[in-house]
Amino acid sequence: MRTQVAIIGAGPAGLLLGQLLARSGIDNIIVEQRSPDYVLGRIRAGILESVTVDALERAGVAARLHDEGLPHDGIELSFNGERHRIDLHALTGRRVTVYGQTEVTRDLMAARQAEGTTTIYEASDVSLHGFDGTRPLVRYRKDGATHEIECDYIAGCDGFHGVSRQSVPVASTRLFERVYPFGWLGILSDTPPVADELIYAGHERGFALCSMRSKARSRYYVQVPSTERAEDWSDARFWDELRSRLDPQAAQSLVTGPSIEKSIAPLRSFVCEPLRFGRLFLAGDAAHIVPPTGAKGLNLAASDVLYLADALAARYQQDDPRELDGYSEKCLRRIWKAERFSWWMTSLLHRFPDADAFSSRIQQAELDFLVSSEAARKALAENYVGLPY
Ligand code: APR
Ligand code: PHB
């Protein structure tokens, strides 16, 4: 087989890239190691920046998002038993949209199928070759046979554990990492959300987040030590813990019900520099991870992919390679700002097991400053709604 761009991974990054390239008339094939159902079964965050919505519009996959997504003009911070609203729209003129990543993925899959573009699911032993020269090659196994795709470029959109980044010689990369000593235990339930907007709660028992997927489906999280196992958390234990971390009004109005999903996600900050190795380009979680506190994971994947799609279009349509040359640097500037914000919001609201009395007071002072200073709230809001491309 031969294509212009071989894309590794059919998560939101790979699927969005495929869609944007197809719209620019650039031929592409996606190679994914899992099945479509497995990909759709992963529950992830659900907040889209307005620039991400713009990118999905450009890809022609925003119809259902506009029908079913919930525009949110603010978020709430909760600490010391009180809630404080951050009016995102008044502070920035922009808003975010609540729409699950699973739904974004579903819309992208449907659009790809409608276009008839090739996606190879359940490909095993995927390997990347020749990207340091002029004739890259992707090899994989499927149905007992080995297959090869010759291409001009490879896009590594295969997530944190993918093969793309691991195919690059260690000496050519610089890795930056911070692993946090806790995770988020999350549940999904068909119960009405506790409030109209998201509540980010800092509490001495640990962080909690009240989010949603729709007016009838809630997504809640509590911070737990990294050693915790989801199996040890009954629904009743989860609801009690969540309630104990909320302000009295939210605790009282919380509607509980059976969980339809329950899992623990570790928290990590990670960046791989650079994002380009010859004819291989990394995008999304393959290149960077943020802790979920700022809801930046999917949004960052979308901005990488938009830059890459534009750079490939310039290369194919005007024979201009300059944007591809600048891809890594351009992405990294936005990535590091989102890394900073996600790290900051995580530090602001979580309990750190090794925190001493001094750091606890600093955390309190920072929260106090935030609710008393419009400048501080504006800085949060500007980052939360998403920095411009
Ligand atoms: N070969 C082929 N496909 C692979 C391989 C491999 N060796 N390894 C992983 N994959 C696939 C995974 O099965 C997955 O479907 O690559 C895809 C990567 O998807 P994601 O992990 O969702 O990453 P990305 O598309 O970059 O999306 C970023 O996802 O994790 C969240 O917070 C993150 O919201 C952000 C978004
Ligand atoms: C979610 O709805 O899953 C969600 C929302 C906001 C976050 C993280 C996750 O910051």
Side-chain angles (χ1 to χ4, degrees):
M1 267 185 290
R2 152 129 208 118
T3 189
Q4 288 175 303
V5 181
I7 301 173
I8 317 297
L15 287 166
L16 179 59
L17 179 63
Q19 199 59 18
L20 291 167
L21 292 180
R23 294 214 137 197
S24 300
I26 300 169
D27 190 41
N28 64 89
I29 294 177
I30 299 184
V31 183
E32 161 65 51
Q33 69 178 3
R34 304 286 189 173
S35 69
D37 283 346
Y38 183 96
V39 171
L40 285 172
R42 292 187 295 231
I43 309 288
R44 269 132 174 211
I47 302 290
L48 306 183
E49 297 173 352
S50 53
V51 283
T52 303
V53 173
D54 296 345
L56 293 168
E57 265 166 19
R58 238 184 77 180
V61 291
R64 201 160 66 92
L65 156 65
H66 286 311
D67 275 356
E68 296 174 22
L70 305 173
H72 276 205
D73 284 349
I75 56 168
E76 297 207 82
L77 296 184
S78 160
F79 56 92
N80 298 338
E82 281 179 31
R83 257 147 70 184
H84 308 265
R85 183 163 190 264
I86 309 280
D87 191 333
L88 301 172
H89 192 255
L91 291 161
T92 64
R94 288 186 291 145
R95 47 177 61 98
V96 294
T97 304
V98 172
Y99 190 68
Q101 179 172 319
T102 312
E103 304 313 314
V104 173
T105 309
R106 200 187 302 281
D107 295 343
L108 284 163
M109 279 180 174
R112 190 168 177 87
Q113 203 170 12
E115 297 232 3
T117 327
T118 310
T119 313
I120 296 144
Y121 284 100
E122 296 176 283
S124 58
D125 301 328
V126 177
S127 58
L128 283 54
H129 309 270
F131 52 83
D132 46 351
T134 51
R135 300 184 61 194
L137 182 84
V138 174
R139 194 172 288 142
Y140 63 94
R141 285 188 65 77
K142 187 169 163 94
D143 302 329
T146 300
H147 306 266
E148 289 186 347
I149 304 173
E150 290 170 24
C151 55
D152 300 334
Y153 298 101
I154 303 177
C157 301
D158 47 353
F160 183 64
H161 300 287
V163 64
S164 299
R165 194 181 66 249
Q166 286 163 26
S167 307
V168 174
V170 178
S172 333
T173 62
R174 194 158 171 213
L175 307 182
F176 303 82
E177 185 167 44
R178 179 151 302 182
V179 178
Y180 302 86
F182 42 76
W184 281 13
L185 169 64
I187 71 163
L188 196 62
S189 77
D190 280 330
T191 51
V194 67
D196 292 339
E197 294 179 336
L198 270 63
I199 304 176
Y200 288 84
H203 190 274
E204 59 189 34
R205 293 184 64 84
F207 170 76
L209 171 61
C210 305
S211 181
M212 64 191 77
R213 290 291 173 272
S214 69
K215 296 221 167 12
R217 180 169 284 189
S218 300
R219 178 77 169 152
Y220 294 108
Y221 300 95
V222 293
Q223 173 191 350
V224 293
S226 306
T227 46
E228 214 64 23
R229 296 175 337 147
E231 306 84 86
D232 296 333
W233 285 79
S234 65
D235 288 355
R237 184 179 173 203
F238 179 90
W239 292 119
D240 286 346
E241 189 58 45
L242 174 65
R243 205 183 281 107
S244 76
R245 300 182 187 189
L246 301 180
D247 64 282
Q249 196 213 331
Q252 209 195 359
S253 43
L254 181 69
V255 179
T256 64
S259 64
I260 48 179
E261 196 264 355
K262 192 187 286 149
S263 56
I264 297 185
L267 265 67
R268 182 195 301 271
S269 297
F270 172 83
V271 180
C272 166
E273 288 185 358
L275 273 65
R276 177 192 183 166
F277 307 90
R279 286 173 175 252
L280 167 65
F281 296 85
L282 302 181
D285 276 16
H288 43 77
I289 295 286
V290 285
T293 325
K296 290 284 163 251
L298 173 60
N299 293 295
L300 263 193
S303 58
D304 290 352
V305 155
L306 204 78
Y307 291 154
L308 185 53
D310 282 347
L312 285 165
R315 160 69 187 81
Y316 281 110
Q317 288 159 6
Q318 287 110 42
D319 197 22
D320 181 352
R322 282 174 303 177
E323 280 193 53
L324 279 180
D325 293 341
Y327 167 75
S328 184
E329 200 187 328
K330 187 169 175 180
C331 287
L332 282 165
R333 291 187 66 192
R334 198 167 193 275
I335 290 165
W336 274 111
K337 280 179 240 169
E339 290 285 345
R340 184 207 69 81
F341 176 65
S342 308
W343 159 84
W344 172 79
M345 221 168 140
T346 303
S347 314
L348 179 72
L349 291 164
H350 288 72
R351 293 294 289 179
F352 285 74
D354 58 352
D356 56 10
F358 180 83
S359 24
S360 303
R361 285 287 192 277
I362 293 289
Q363 208 179 31
Q364 281 290 325
E366 181 127 29
L367 283 164
D368 194 13
F369 177 57
L370 201 56
V371 297
S372 57
S373 155
E374 182 174 322
R377 282 199 302 282
K378 196 164 179 170
L380 187 161
E382 204 178 326
N383 282 281
Y384 193 87
V385 300
L387 299 174
Y389 284 174

